[in-house]
Amino acid sequence: MTASLLEQLIEAFRVLPGVGQKTAQRMAYHVLEREREGGVRLSKVLGEAMERIGHCARCRDFSEAELCATCASPSRDTHLLCAVESPADRMAIEQATGYRGLYFVLQGRLSPLDGIGPRELGLEQLAERLSEDQVRELIIATNPTVEGEATAHYLAQLARQRGVRPSRLAHGVPLGGELEYVDRGTLSHAFGSRSEMYD
Amino acid sequence: MTASLLEQLIEAFRVLPGVGQKTAQRMAYHVLEREREGGVRLSKVLGEAMERIGHCARCRDFSEAELCATCASPSRDTHLLCAVESPADRMAIEQATGYRGLYFVLQGRLSPLDGIGPRELGLEQLAERLSEDQVRELIIATNPTVEGEATAHYLAQLARQRGVRPSRLAHGVPLGGELEYVDRGTLSHAFGSRSEMYD
């Protein structure tokens, strides 16, 4: 006997982060009982997003178009480039600070044991952008974890070799924390008092 | 400017119960980064469920077919009928107990102030089933809230008028609970309806 559509729906909800059997049941019953329209909209938008959202050719962030809205915007400061580990980090910075420069999304951090090296993070592409003359400062906003710090040092070296000044977010971001979950005030402060990196 | 597909996706996730802005963001990034296949499946199943899942004509539970699997099953005991408030309650009883009878899902509880009366709970339909002769016991499993109790009394009357024996889930101290932390009402009730112990 195949699973009923309701059982399939409960199972399908479990792909979401932090959603176990009980929560999935609650979600399924909730949309069936009270949110039919919202459920239909979620289904449509999710299907479309899975199909159409890829990566921006320039900054590697998620994007529907070849270039994301930020990279395509003529009003951003092309002298500033901010390297972040994930799209969520990028969004956190965008929402918390008044930063008007551009981004580069690594989609990870250096982690040789997991087979994640410079190639996986698109660092060749980043190096090219740093050589392009326009970028004057590379703001390195990797997470303050061991791997994030290692990545930051690698990026700083990459920048210096190309005559670009590397900088790092100020302390204030709690060690071991994730940028995505830091409160806006702290993040804004840390972003504002970033400091230059020396050997 | 219209919202990007990513923003729409984050917004759409917020129809789920207990999901705010941060969780919705996390869900969107999670499916985009790590669960494309699961996301596609969720989108499809959800769309299909919103379109095809209606109510069982007999027990008012959610069902794709006119009769749900339980009502259509020839192996259930048609002498027993269990009335519950919601499909989630029905599933909880089905999963926790060895009950082999049938169900009737009220999809709510009597609440005159909210305009929920006997008609909204399909009690005419329930009365018809109770008159059908086969049902001998109506197990009333509404929640132990004020409205749930009122509904239970109404249902008990309905059953008695049709020669059906009404019964109610036992109230008492939950298994594994500590007496110290049980609320007074429950403790008082459990104390009053204590039962003799035999070897």
Side-chain angles (χ1 to χ4, degrees):
Chain A
M1 193 179 131
T2 55
S4 75
L5 199 48
L6 179 62
E7 284 162 354
Q8 287 176 46
L9 179 61
I10 292 171
E11 189 55 39
F13 269 125
R14 296 189 56 184
V15 303
L16 299 177
V19 174
Q21 180 67 20
K22 276 272 172 188
T23 312
Q25 267 182 33
R26 207 170 126 238
M27 286 175 167
Y29 284 128
H30 181 84
V31 289
L32 283 168
E33 278 169 29
R34 279 183 285 271
E35 284 284 1
R36 291 267 172 165
E37 267 179 49
V40 168
R41 196 171 60 244
L42 174 57
S43 160
K44 277 193 191 146
V45 172
L46 180 60
E48 221 177 308
M50 291 300 99
E51 196 180 303
R52 283 179 35 205
I53 294 185
H55 294 282
C56 171
R58 198 158 163 77
C59 76
R60 291 166 51 99
D61 192 9
F62 290 125
S63 172
E64 304 156 59
E66 208 199 326
L67 281 189
C68 71
T70 308
C71 286
S73 166
S75 70
R76 308 290 297 211
D77 184 348
T78 55
H79 300 305
L80 292 171
L81 189 62
C82 177
V84 293
E85 288 182 19
S86 71
D89 293 343
R90 192 209 80 101
M91 185 177 273
I93 288 177
E94 187 71 9
Q95 288 175 346
T97 73
Y99 181 61
R100 297 298 302 158
L102 295 170
Y103 293 94
F104 190 85
V105 182
L106 301 167
Q107 301 280 6
R109 66 209 85 176
L110 287 178
S111 180
L113 287 178
D114 300 320
I116 298 174
R119 181 190 300 272
E120 282 70 26
L121 302 186
L123 296 194
E124 284 171 31
Q125 198 181 335
L126 176 62
E128 254 174 57
R129 283 187 71 176
L130 293 176
S131 305
E132 269 172 20
D133 240 349
Q134 285 209 336
V135 182
R136 291 185 196 149
E137 180 181 351
L138 176 67
I139 303 168
I140 302 169
T142 52
N143 283 314
T145 57
V146 175
E147 287 166 346
E149 291 292 340
T151 309
H153 279 96
Y154 191 98
L155 294 183
Q157 217 168 2
L158 209 69
R160 267 186 232 103
Q161 287 164 358
R162 282 157 189 81
V164 173
R165 193 156 42 91
S167 65
R168 185 93 179 90
L169 296 200
H171 283 298
V173 178
L175 290 180
E178 302 267 347
L179 279 193
E180 192 182 341
Y181 299 109
V182 169
D183 70 278
R184 288 180 178 205
T186 306
L187 190 56
S188 178
H189 181 89
F191 199 81
S193 49
R194 62 186 180 274
S195 56
E196 194 167 342
M197 288 177 82
Y198 303 96
D199 289 294
Chain B
M1 195 179 130
T2 56
S4 74
L5 200 47
L6 179 62
E7 285 161 353
Q8 287 176 46
L9 180 60
I10 292 171
E11 190 55 38
F13 269 125
R14 297 189 57 183
V15 303
L16 299 177
V19 173
Q21 179 68 18
K22 275 272 173 187
T23 311
Q25 266 183 33
R26 205 168 127 238
M27 285 176 168
Y29 284 128
H30 181 84
V31 289
L32 282 168
E33 277 169 30
R34 279 183 287 270
E35 284 284 1
R36 292 267 174 167
E37 268 180 48
V40 169
R41 197 172 58 243
L42 174 56
S43 160
K44 277 192 190 147
V45 173
L46 180 60
E48 222 178 304
M50 291 299 100
E51 197 179 302
R52 283 179 37 205
I53 294 185
H55 294 282
C56 170
R58 200 162 161 74
C59 75
R60 293 166 48 101
D61 192 9
F62 290 125
S63 173
E64 303 156 59
E66 207 199 325
L67 280 190
C68 71
T70 307
C71 285
S73 165
S75 71
R76 308 288 297 213
D77 184 348
T78 55
H79 300 307
L80 291 172
L81 190 61
C82 177
V84 293
E85 287 183 20
S86 72
D89 293 343
R90 194 210 78 102
M91 187 176 271
I93 289 177
E94 186 72 9
Q95 286 173 346
T97 71
Y99 181 62
R100 297 298 301 159
L102 296 170
Y103 293 94
F104 189 85
V105 181
L106 301 168
Q107 302 280 5
R109 68 209 83 173
L110 287 178
S111 178
L113 287 179
D114 300 320
I116 297 173
R119 182 191 298 273
E120 282 70 27
L121 304 185
L123 296 194
E124 283 171 31
Q125 200 181 333
L126 176 61
E128 253 174 57
R129 283 186 71 177
L130 293 176
S131 304
E132 270 172 17
D133 240 347
Q134 285 208 339
V135 182
R136 290 185 197 150
E137 182 180 351
L138 176 68
I139 303 169
I140 302 170
T142 52
N143 285 314
T145 56
V146 175
E147 287 166 345
E149 292 292 338
T151 309
H153 280 96
Y154 191 98
L155 294 183
Q157 219 170 0
L158 210 70
R160 268 187 231 105
Q161 287 165 355
R162 283 157 187 80
V164 172
R165 192 157 41 92
S167 65
R168 186 96 179 88
L169 297 199
H171 289 311
V173 180
L175 291 180
E178 306 249 14
L179 280 193
E180 191 183 349
Y181 300 112
V182 171
D183 67 278
R184 290 179 178 199
T186 304
L187 192 54
S188 169
H189 187 97
F191 198 83
S193 48
R194 62 190 178 274
S195 56
E196 195 171 341
M197 290 177 77
Y198 303 96
D199 291 292

